[in-house]
Amino acid sequence: MSPQKQSGNPARQAQIEQTVKQQREAKRQEKLAEYQRQLKKRQRGKLLWWVVGIVAVLAVVAVIVASIVFAPRSYTAGSEGATIEGVETFDLESDHVEGVVEYEQNPPAGGPHNIAWLSCGVYDQPQANENAVHSLEHGAVWITYDADEIQGADLEALRELAPRTYSIVSPYEGLDTPITVSAWEHQLKVDSVDDPRIAQFIEEYWQGGTAPELGASCTGIEGPGKL
């Protein structure tokens, strides 16, 4: 900064000093105003990020809660060694064939099947054995029910027992029990949707057991009545 100019006139000197003070004060006020603008901008930025962060957290929490509340029951693939009363076990072939197959079980729990597999999911109409069996070969479970016996709240509860993936739920004509749950070479027949063995069977054989093509795709042809 250049030295302050001096004047021999006291009045003039006072005027000069007053002008310098005003200039300094003006600069100080300008700096203060700029600092306050920057501070407010920074505070607005922090507030914005806080709002964005809170909204993001709430969105994630909402998604998690919704997935827990509304998602079907989840299962652990290939649980080992459970003994479930009433489960029948078979030794079946896995050939690809054409046409209608006469199965040893009703519904089938494996055996020769069509080259096209059924897309996993929930159906409100009966499905072709030959396509559903191919899905069993990929590790799916097939939950079948007597539509005259299982309706309303019982049907909804049965559908909720199905895993999110690799499961088929469909009505089936000619069952000798209200509900039959099948996996490759394994089958369980029960009288009520409240039977705890349904979940036990799924836990044991879903994406496990003896399925020859375990883990292969369960997205194939869609049968009638897919929901």
Side-chain angles (χ1 to χ4, degrees):
M1 177 182 295
S2 60
Q4 181 180 329
K5 186 177 180 180
Q6 300 291 325
S7 174
N9 186 329
R12 178 60 178 164
Q13 182 64 35
Q15 185 178 8
I16 292 172
E17 291 178 356
Q18 180 65 25
T19 301
V20 171
K21 287 180 180 179
Q22 289 174 345
Q23 291 175 345
R24 289 176 178 172
E25 179 63 21
K27 288 183 179 180
R28 191 182 73 82
Q29 291 297 330
E30 184 179 347
K31 288 182 179 179
L32 180 60
E34 176 62 23
Y35 171 73
Q36 289 175 341
R37 282 195 296 269
Q38 293 181 6
L39 185 61
K40 288 180 180 180
K41 183 178 180 180
R42 190 178 304 133
Q43 290 173 339
R44 286 196 301 270
K46 288 182 178 179
L47 179 60
L48 177 61
W49 280 111
W50 270 103
V51 171
V52 171
I54 291 172
V55 170
V57 169
L58 291 176
V60 171
V61 171
V63 170
I64 293 173
V65 171
S67 66
I68 293 173
V69 172
F70 297 109
R73 180 171 177 166
S74 61
Y75 292 89
T76 302
S79 116
E80 301 246 352
T83 300
I84 305 168
E85 183 181 357
V87 172
E88 295 183 86
T89 301
F90 314 97
D91 185 12
L92 303 171
E93 300 295 328
S94 59
D95 300 329
H96 290 171
V97 298
E98 296 182 0
V100 177
V101 178
E102 293 294 330
Y103 288 101
E104 298 178 18
Q105 303 85 36
N106 186 44
H113 50 271
N114 192 277
I115 193 171
W117 58 90
L118 180 68
S119 281
C120 291
V122 176
Y123 295 85
D124 63 7
Q125 296 183 37
Q127 302 302 306
N129 287 334
E130 295 76 16
N131 303 118
V133 168
H134 196 154
S135 299
L136 297 184
E137 186 183 36
H138 292 184
V141 292
W142 187 13
I143 303 173
T144 51
Y145 61 92
D146 184 335
D148 292 331
E149 297 284 339
I150 305 299
Q151 301 177 2
D154 285 344
L155 179 55
E156 288 302 315
L158 184 64
R159 289 171 174 173
E160 289 176 3
L161 286 172
R164 289 185 288 267
T165 60
Y166 286 92
S167 68
I168 299 168
V169 183
S170 68
Y172 196 94
E173 297 178 355
L175 291 180
D176 55 7
T177 55
I179 300 168
T180 300
V181 190
S182 305
W184 188 267
E185 296 187 328
H186 299 87
Q187 191 168 84
L188 173 69
K189 298 185 177 185
V190 299
D191 295 325
S192 168
V193 69
D194 298 324
D195 195 315
R197 292 178 297 166
I198 297 175
Q200 293 170 6
F201 182 94
I202 296 172
E203 182 73 30
E204 177 66 20
Y205 298 110
W206 172 75
Q207 277 289 277
T210 55
E213 296 180 5
L214 185 64
S217 174
C218 206
T219 302
I221 65 169
E222 288 194 3
K226 192 169 191 289
L227 301 180

